[in-house]
Amino acid sequence: MRLTPRQRLLPERPLTELRNAVQNRAIDKALNASFDYDETSDNPVNNHEFSVRERLSFLRGFLSTTPGKFSIVTTLLLLCCIILGGASASLTFDRQQQLDTMLRESEPLAHASQQLYSSLSLADTAATTQFMTTEENDQVTRQYERAIINASTNAIGSRSGASTYDKADRTLLVQINANIPVYTARIGQAVAEQSMNNPLTIMHQADARSIMEEQLLPDAEQLYKNRYASINVAQKAWARPLYAAGFCLILLIGALVAAQLWLTHVTRRRFNLGLLAATVLAIVSLLWVLVSSGISFATADSSVPDNHSISEILTDARITAQQMRSHEMVELSQANAGSTIDSAPFLKNMDKVTEAVDTFAERTNSAETVKLSEQTTTALHAWRDTHQEMVDQLADGNRREATAIATSMARSAGGGQFNEVDALLQRCISAARGQVRDSANLAHSTIFATGVGLVILLVLESVCVVAGFLPRYREYE
């Protein structure tokens, strides 16, 4: 059997041609054309474009591995830190914004409406008194003029914030600003008629009193009540703990603890310092929120009887005292005309004012306010004794002596004692307002610091989460 040689796969080429091909790198170029690779790298270059299905399959395969699971857990923890921690910080800043609005807008407007109401009531009292006294009429007239100026000033101050009022409050404010000039005009006419001993004095005085009691005072009282209602709502929100923020932080702590337990099971390591640090920071955030809520609750005046703030209670007491003085003058005028005087309403209102002062002392519970309330109570008792002395003089028929006792501005007479009571009640209102503002400022600063602290701790928690998983990733490089 004759054997035939195997056919050559490559044609024979002369040696000179092969040498030239090698020198010209023709063989390398042919190999490069047949086998695509990068001359500067040991790794082959693959220009193949993967389809979406292939990419998803690759991603699914990667996520099924331990490093892929680490990536999933790390991403979820970072999202929890951002979402839950960010929500708690946002809720804290919302509470801080509410307090800021109360301090900058609601409380000043409520104070202006309270001053408007008190000034109008004091003007009514002074106007009634000036028609009863002759010896000290100039002093009473100046008191009336100051009250009208204060009422007009506070009406303008309330009008500057009318953009925050609802339609009903704006209507009340417009009516008050329109009726003040009408009232002062009637009083002016009554004074002019009295200087000429004209009987028309009584008619103009009655018209002015009707405008004050039927229009000005009811409108001012309603505006004042509406403004303080908003303050009471703000104080209730102020005293409410940050439940939502605390709940978000509890969920974040639970997520970090669950991740720590899962990582312990996978890596067979008991603790992960990064996750442990993040958990501690989350617990610090929760404690910070709890302490901040406790401070806010302690500083808020949320347990006042009938949901009225102490400033509102004292304002009502001051208005009551002014009305007592006005009615005292009216009853004195009627008694001089032959009618009998009834002290029961005066004594009943005196008890209400005394009770309000006692409430002020109990709610504030500081040495300064207790001393102030004692002074006010002493002045009220002196006024009551003077009123009883006036009644006794009228009963004995000494009308001129009774009028002098009730209208004189001396410290031992009714006019001077009323002025002292009114001044002391005004100081009580200022002290109560200052205490509320100081407490609100403290709560505002505390909650603002809490919000900033939560943001800083949130960033540190995220860093700790990443730092806790980095060593585990490196184990699989």
Side-chain angles (χ1 to χ4, degrees):
M1 180 177 182
R2 185 171 66 87
L3 297 176
T4 58
R6 179 181 296 178
Q7 185 178 3
R8 293 180 178 271
L9 296 176
L10 296 175
E12 294 183 0
R13 304 176 65 181
L15 185 59
T16 303
E17 186 179 349
L18 289 173
R19 187 184 300 113
N20 292 335
V22 171
Q23 291 177 353
N24 295 332
R25 300 182 60 85
I27 295 178
D28 291 341
K29 294 178 181 179
L31 290 174
N32 287 339
S34 300
F35 304 98
D36 191 11
Y37 68 97
D38 188 0
E39 294 179 352
T40 62
S41 175
D42 294 333
N43 298 324
V45 177
N46 186 7
N47 291 330
H48 175 67
E49 294 185 0
F50 294 98
S51 64
V52 175
R53 179 175 297 179
E54 290 174 335
R55 293 177 186 273
L56 292 176
S57 177
F58 174 78
L59 179 62
R60 187 164 51 250
F62 170 72
L63 294 179
S64 64
T65 63
T66 302
K69 295 177 181 178
F70 286 166
S71 300
I72 295 174
V73 175
T74 304
T75 303
L76 291 177
L77 286 180
L78 289 176
L79 288 176
C80 287
C81 289
I82 294 172
I83 296 175
L84 296 176
S88 61
S90 177
L91 291 169
T92 304
F93 282 123
D94 287 344
R95 177 67 59 81
Q96 176 258 331
Q97 185 63 37
Q98 292 174 1
L99 283 171
D100 188 67
T101 301
M102 189 192 78
L103 285 170
R104 294 179 181 272
E105 296 180 8
S106 301
E107 197 278 335
L109 291 176
H111 179 68
S113 65
Q114 176 263 326
Q115 289 292 318
L116 172 62
Y117 184 30
S118 299
S119 298
L120 288 174
S121 178
L122 184 60
D124 179 46
T125 301
T128 305
T129 305
Q130 72 178 343
F131 293 104
M132 295 295 302
T133 180
T134 57
E135 296 179 357
E136 300 170 89
N137 191 48
D138 291 341
Q139 186 176 353
V140 179
T141 301
R142 287 195 299 270
Q143 185 182 42
Y144 163 77
E145 292 174 349
R146 285 196 303 268
I148 288 296
I149 291 173
N150 291 334
S152 301
T153 302
N154 287 285
I156 294 172
S158 298
R159 192 171 183 176
S160 64
S163 59
T164 62
Y165 291 173
D166 56 20
K167 183 178 179 180
D169 287 351
R170 288 197 299 270
T171 301
L172 291 172
L173 196 56
V174 169
Q175 292 174 355
I176 291 171
N177 281 279
N179 286 323
I180 287 178
V182 179
Y183 171 77
T184 55
R186 294 289 189 276
I187 292 294
Q189 290 174 353
V191 171
E193 298 292 346
Q194 186 185 38
S195 64
M196 296 183 294
N197 294 323
N198 196 321
L200 292 176
T201 301
I202 299 176
M203 183 186 70
H204 293 306
Q205 183 184 358
D207 288 343
R209 188 170 181 81
S210 175
I211 293 173
M212 176 63 75
E213 294 186 351
E214 295 179 7
Q215 299 180 36
L216 279 173
L217 287 180
D219 290 345
E221 181 181 11
Q222 187 61 47
L223 180 65
Y224 145 76
K225 293 291 185 182
N226 293 345
R227 291 299 90 204
Y228 267 94
S230 64
I231 296 295
N232 294 334
V233 171
Q235 284 196 338
K236 288 181 180 180
W238 166 10
R240 190 179 303 115
L242 296 166
Y243 292 116
F247 181 71
C248 290
L249 292 174
I250 291 174
L251 291 179
L252 178 58
I253 294 172
L256 290 170
V257 171
Q260 176 71 59
L261 294 176
W262 176 81
L263 198 60
T264 300
H265 173 73
V266 172
T267 62
R268 299 295 188 270
R269 292 179 175 85
R270 181 168 297 178
F271 296 109
N272 183 285
L273 294 181
L275 293 183
L276 187 61
T279 305
V280 171
L281 291 175
I283 294 174
V284 170
S285 300
L286 178 60
L287 293 176
W288 199 337
V289 169
L290 293 177
V291 172
S292 177
S293 298
I295 293 175
S296 297
F297 180 80
T299 56
D301 187 16
S302 60
S303 57
V304 176
D306 300 327
N307 295 323
H308 293 304
S309 65
I310 191 64
S311 296
E312 189 176 359
I313 292 176
L314 289 173
T315 299
D316 291 339
R318 187 186 179 197
I319 298 298
T320 300
Q322 292 169 353
Q323 291 174 350
M324 287 165 56
R325 176 62 177 173
S326 180
H327 293 161
E328 185 181 39
M329 292 297 97
V330 172
E331 290 182 349
L332 177 62
S333 176
Q334 294 174 350
N336 287 333
S339 301
T340 57
I341 188 169
D342 184 11
S343 297
F346 181 90
L347 297 176
K348 183 178 180 181
N349 289 328
M350 180 67 71
D351 292 338
K352 290 181 180 180
V353 177
T354 304
E355 183 181 357
V357 174
D358 293 339
T359 302
F360 166 66
E362 293 174 0
R363 293 300 306 160
T364 52
N365 197 22
S366 65
E368 181 181 357
T369 55
V370 169
K371 181 179 179 180
L372 184 58
S373 64
E374 290 176 353
Q375 293 175 352
T376 307
T377 302
T378 302
L380 286 169
H381 290 166
W383 185 18
R384 179 168 55 188
D385 294 340
T386 302
H387 177 80
Q388 186 60 44
E389 184 179 357
M390 179 196 72
V391 173
D392 294 340
Q393 291 292 338
L394 287 173
D396 294 338
N398 300 325
R399 295 179 181 177
R400 180 172 296 181
E401 183 67 20
T403 302
I405 291 173
T407 60
S408 175
M409 296 299 165
R411 293 180 61 89
S412 59
Q417 290 166 354
F418 162 73
N419 289 338
E420 184 177 3
V421 168
D422 187 73
L424 288 171
L425 287 173
Q426 190 171 11
R427 287 176 56 189
C428 290
I429 293 172
S430 298
R433 184 197 181 201
Q435 188 175 55
V436 169
R437 289 190 65 87
D438 291 342
S439 299
N441 281 319
L442 175 60
H444 179 274
S445 301
T446 302
I447 293 177
F448 178 74
T450 302
V452 174
L454 289 177
V455 173
I456 295 174
L457 292 174
L458 168 63
V459 175
L460 294 178
E461 290 164 14
S462 301
V463 172
C464 290
V465 168
V466 175
F469 275 95
L470 277 179
R472 307 288 79 81
Y473 283 113
R474 291 172 181 171
E475 294 176 355
Y476 289 88
E477 289 182 352

